[in-house]
PDB file of all heavy atoms in Angstrom:
ATOM      1  N   ALA B 106      28.368 -78.839 146.496  1.00 96.00           N
ATOM      2  CA  ALA B 106      27.635 -77.973 147.420  1.00 96.00           C
ATOM      3  C   ALA B 106      28.614 -77.156 148.254  1.00 96.00           C
ATOM      4  O   ALA B 106      28.398 -75.952 148.496  1.00 96.00           O
ATOM      5  CB  ALA B 106      26.732 -78.803 148.329  1.00 96.00           C
ATOM      6  N   ALA B 107      29.709 -77.800 148.699  1.00 95.00           N
ATOM      7  CA  ALA B 107      30.713 -77.079 149.482  1.00 95.00           C
ATOM      8  C   ALA B 107      31.320 -75.962 148.649  1.00 95.00           C
ATOM      9  O   ALA B 107      31.513 -74.836 149.120  1.00 95.00           O
ATOM     10  CB  ALA B 107      31.803 -78.039 149.960  1.00 95.00           C
ATOM     11  N   LEU B 108      31.591 -76.257 147.378  1.00 94.00           N
ATOM     12  CA  LEU B 108      32.183 -75.244 146.504  1.00 94.00           C
ATOM     13  C   LEU B 108      31.228 -74.061 146.329  1.00 94.00           C
ATOM     14  O   LEU B 108      31.633 -72.900 146.471  1.00 94.00           O
ATOM     15  CB  LEU B 108      32.505 -75.864 145.144  1.00 94.00           C
ATOM     16  CG  LEU B 108      33.177 -74.930 144.132  1.00 94.00           C
ATOM     17  CD1 LEU B 108      34.336 -75.643 143.475  1.00 94.00           C
ATOM     18  CD2 LEU B 108      32.242 -74.443 143.058  1.00 94.00           C
ATOM     19  N   LEU B 109      29.954 -74.356 146.068  1.00 94.00           N
ATOM     20  CA  LEU B 109      29.003 -73.270 145.823  1.00 94.00           C
ATOM     21  C   LEU B 109      28.791 -72.433 147.077  1.00 94.00           C
ATOM     22  O   LEU B 109      28.833 -71.196 147.029  1.00 94.00           O
ATOM     23  CB  LEU B 109      27.667 -73.836 145.320  1.00 94.00           C
ATOM     24  CG  LEU B 109      27.733 -74.395 143.894  1.00 94.00           C
ATOM     25  CD1 LEU B 109      26.392 -74.956 143.476  1.00 94.00           C
ATOM     26  CD2 LEU B 109      28.175 -73.296 142.918  1.00 94.00           C
ATOM     27  N   SER B 110      28.599 -73.095 148.229  1.00 95.00           N
ATOM     28  CA  SER B 110      28.366 -72.295 149.436  1.00 95.00           C
ATOM     29  C   SER B 110      29.643 -71.566 149.828  1.00 95.00           C
ATOM     30  O   SER B 110      29.598 -70.408 150.270  1.00 95.00           O
ATOM     31  CB  SER B 110      27.842 -73.164 150.579  1.00 95.00           C
ATOM     32  OG  SER B 110      28.645 -74.296 150.726  1.00 95.00           O
ATOM     33  N   GLY B 111      30.786 -72.199 149.626  1.00 93.00           N
ATOM     34  CA  GLY B 111      32.051 -71.516 149.904  1.00 93.00           C
ATOM     35  C   GLY B 111      32.243 -70.315 149.006  1.00 93.00           C
ATOM     36  O   GLY B 111      32.739 -69.268 149.433  1.00 93.00           O
ATOM     37  N   LEU B 112      31.801 -70.461 147.760  1.00 92.00           N
ATOM     38  CA  LEU B 112      31.903 -69.360 146.796  1.00 92.00           C
ATOM     39  C   LEU B 112      31.092 -68.160 147.271  1.00 92.00           C
ATOM     40  O   LEU B 112      31.581 -67.025 147.313  1.00 92.00           O
ATOM     41  CB  LEU B 112      31.408 -69.842 145.434  1.00 92.00           C
ATOM     42  CG  LEU B 112      31.644 -68.945 144.224  1.00 92.00           C
ATOM     43  CD1 LEU B 112      33.124 -68.819 143.949  1.00 92.00           C
ATOM     44  CD2 LEU B 112      30.938 -69.508 142.999  1.00 92.00           C
ATOM     45  N   VAL B 113      29.845 -68.427 147.647  1.00 92.00           N
ATOM     46  CA  VAL B 113      28.972 -67.333 148.093  1.00 92.00           C
ATOM     47  C   VAL B 113      29.532 -66.694 149.366  1.00 92.00           C
ATOM     48  O   VAL B 113      29.691 -65.467 149.458  1.00 92.00           O
ATOM     49  CB  VAL B 113      27.539 -67.858 148.338  1.00 92.00           C
ATOM     50  CG1 VAL B 113      26.679 -66.768 148.967  1.00 92.00           C
ATOM     51  CG2 VAL B 113      26.942 -68.342 147.036  1.00 92.00           C
ATOM     52  N   ILE B 114      29.883 -67.529 150.348  1.00 94.00           N
ATOM     53  CA  ILE B 114      30.371 -67.002 151.627  1.00 94.00           C
ATOM     54  C   ILE B 114      31.669 -66.220 151.423  1.00 94.00           C
ATOM     55  O   ILE B 114      31.840 -65.109 151.934  1.00 94.00           O
ATOM     56  CB  ILE B 114      30.587 -68.162 152.637  1.00 94.00           C
ATOM     57  CG1 ILE B 114      29.244 -68.801 152.972  1.00 94.00           C
ATOM     58  CG2 ILE B 114      31.259 -67.655 153.902  1.00 94.00           C
ATOM     59  CD1 ILE B 114      29.366 -70.061 153.800  1.00 94.00           C
ATOM     60  N   GLY B 115      32.582 -66.796 150.635  1.00 91.00           N
ATOM     61  CA  GLY B 115      33.863 -66.137 150.397  1.00 91.00           C
ATOM     62  C   GLY B 115      33.708 -64.830 149.649  1.00 91.00           C
ATOM     63  O   GLY B 115      34.391 -63.842 149.947  1.00 91.00           O
ATOM     64  N   LEU B 116      32.796 -64.805 148.663  1.00 89.00           N
ATOM     65  CA  LEU B 116      32.544 -63.570 147.911  1.00 89.00           C
ATOM     66  C   LEU B 116      32.027 -62.485 148.837  1.00 89.00           C
ATOM     67  O   LEU B 116      32.499 -61.346 148.813  1.00 89.00           O
ATOM     68  CB  LEU B 116      31.517 -63.824 146.803  1.00 89.00           C
ATOM     69  CG  LEU B 116      32.037 -64.293 145.450  1.00 89.00           C
ATOM     70  CD1 LEU B 116      30.870 -64.542 144.506  1.00 89.00           C
ATOM     71  CD2 LEU B 116      32.971 -63.260 144.848  1.00 89.00           C
ATOM     72  N   VAL B 117      31.043 -62.849 149.654  1.00 90.00           N
ATOM     73  CA  VAL B 117      30.465 -61.866 150.568  1.00 90.00           C
ATOM     74  C   VAL B 117      31.542 -61.336 151.509  1.00 90.00           C
ATOM     75  O   VAL B 117      31.708 -60.122 151.670  1.00 90.00           O
ATOM     76  CB  VAL B 117      29.299 -62.494 151.371  1.00 90.00           C
ATOM     77  CG1 VAL B 117      28.857 -61.551 152.487  1.00 90.00           C
ATOM     78  CG2 VAL B 117      28.138 -62.802 150.446  1.00 90.00           C
ATOM     79  N   ALA B 118      32.327 -62.261 152.099  1.00 90.00           N
ATOM     80  CA  ALA B 118      33.346 -61.850 153.071  1.00 90.00           C
ATOM     81  C   ALA B 118      34.387 -60.943 152.422  1.00 90.00           C
ATOM     82  O   ALA B 118      34.690 -59.854 152.917  1.00 90.00           O
ATOM     83  CB  ALA B 118      34.009 -63.075 153.684  1.00 90.00           C
ATOM     84  N   GLY B 119      34.918 -61.403 151.296  1.00 87.00           N
ATOM     85  CA  GLY B 119      35.998 -60.653 150.663  1.00 87.00           C
ATOM     86  C   GLY B 119      35.527 -59.334 150.097  1.00 87.00           C
ATOM     87  O   GLY B 119      36.221 -58.321 150.169  1.00 87.00           O
ATOM     88  N   TYR B 120      34.322 -59.342 149.539  1.00 83.00           N
ATOM     89  CA  TYR B 120      33.833 -58.142 148.875  1.00 83.00           C
ATOM     90  C   TYR B 120      33.340 -57.111 149.885  1.00 83.00           C
ATOM     91  O   TYR B 120      33.607 -55.920 149.745  1.00 83.00           O
ATOM     92  CB  TYR B 120      32.705 -58.524 147.915  1.00 83.00           C
ATOM     93  CG  TYR B 120      32.612 -57.596 146.745  1.00 83.00           C
ATOM     94  CD1 TYR B 120      33.428 -57.781 145.633  1.00 83.00           C
ATOM     95  CD2 TYR B 120      31.726 -56.526 146.745  1.00 83.00           C
ATOM     96  CE1 TYR B 120      33.371 -56.933 144.559  1.00 83.00           C
ATOM     97  CE2 TYR B 120      31.666 -55.673 145.671  1.00 83.00           C
ATOM     98  CZ  TYR B 120      32.484 -55.871 144.574  1.00 83.00           C
ATOM     99  OH  TYR B 120      32.431 -55.019 143.521  1.00 83.00           O
ATOM    100  N   ALA B 121      32.629 -57.579 150.911  1.00 83.00           N
ATOM    101  CA  ALA B 121      32.067 -56.645 151.892  1.00 83.00           C
ATOM    102  C   ALA B 121      33.159 -56.111 152.815  1.00 83.00           C
ATOM    103  O   ALA B 121      33.200 -54.922 153.120  1.00 83.00           O
ATOM    104  CB  ALA B 121      30.975 -57.330 152.700  1.00 83.00           C
ATOM    105  N   GLY B 122      34.047 -56.973 153.263  1.00 81.00           N
ATOM    106  CA  GLY B 122      35.084 -56.544 154.197  1.00 81.00           C
ATOM    107  C   GLY B 122      34.466 -56.133 155.526  1.00 81.00           C
ATOM    108  O   GLY B 122      33.303 -56.429 155.809  1.00 81.00           O
ATOM    109  N   GLY B 123      35.263 -55.454 156.365  1.00 85.00           N
ATOM    110  CA  GLY B 123      34.754 -54.903 157.616  1.00 85.00           C
ATOM    111  C   GLY B 123      34.265 -55.958 158.582  1.00 85.00           C
ATOM    112  O   GLY B 123      34.790 -57.078 158.613  1.00 85.00           O
ATOM    113  N   TRP B 124      33.240 -55.628 159.360  1.00 89.00           N
ATOM    114  CA  TRP B 124      32.784 -56.524 160.437  1.00 89.00           C
ATOM    115  C   TRP B 124      32.208 -57.817 159.885  1.00 89.00           C
ATOM    116  O   TRP B 124      32.369 -58.878 160.451  1.00 89.00           O
ATOM    117  CB  TRP B 124      31.772 -55.814 161.343  1.00 89.00           C
ATOM    118  CG  TRP B 124      30.503 -55.425 160.632  1.00 89.00           C
ATOM    119  CD1 TRP B 124      30.256 -54.224 160.008  1.00 89.00           C
ATOM    120  CD2 TRP B 124      29.330 -56.224 160.445  1.00 89.00           C
ATOM    121  NE1 TRP B 124      29.016 -54.247 159.439  1.00 89.00           N
ATOM    122  CE2 TRP B 124      28.412 -55.460 159.706  1.00 89.00           C
ATOM    123  CE3 TRP B 124      28.961 -57.524 160.850  1.00 89.00           C
ATOM    124  CZ2 TRP B 124      27.153 -55.928 159.341  1.00 89.00           C
ATOM    125  CZ3 TRP B 124      27.702 -57.998 160.491  1.00 89.00           C
ATOM    126  CH2 TRP B 124      26.813 -57.194 159.737  1.00 89.00           C
ATOM    127  N   LEU B 125      31.535 -57.726 158.713  1.00 90.00           N
ATOM    128  CA  LEU B 125      30.937 -58.925 158.143  1.00 90.00           C
ATOM    129  C   LEU B 125      32.033 -59.941 157.797  1.00 90.00           C
ATOM    130  O   LEU B 125      31.911 -61.137 158.068  1.00 90.00           O
ATOM    131  CB  LEU B 125      30.147 -58.548 156.887  1.00 90.00           C
ATOM    132  CG  LEU B 125      29.226 -59.632 156.337  1.00 90.00           C
ATOM    133  CD1 LEU B 125      28.249 -60.099 157.396  1.00 90.00           C
ATOM    134  CD2 LEU B 125      28.486 -59.127 155.109  1.00 90.00           C
ATOM    135  N   ASP B 126      33.107 -59.430 157.221  1.00 89.00           N
ATOM    136  CA  ASP B 126      34.251 -60.274 156.887  1.00 89.00           C
ATOM    137  C   ASP B 126      34.798 -60.951 158.139  1.00 89.00           C
ATOM    138  O   ASP B 126      35.019 -62.167 158.167  1.00 89.00           O
ATOM    139  CB  ASP B 126      35.325 -59.402 156.223  1.00 89.00           C
ATOM    140  CG  ASP B 126      36.522 -60.233 155.769  1.00 89.00           C
ATOM    141  OD1 ASP B 126      36.344 -61.427 155.508  1.00 89.00           O
ATOM    142  OD2 ASP B 126      37.627 -59.668 155.691  1.00 89.00           O
TER     143      ASP B 126
END
Side-chain angles (χ1 to χ4, degrees):
Chain B
L108 182 134
L109 289 179
S110 49
L112 190 65
V113 173
I114 295 172
L116 272 178
V117 170
Y120 209 83
W124 64 268
L125 192 56
D126 183 26

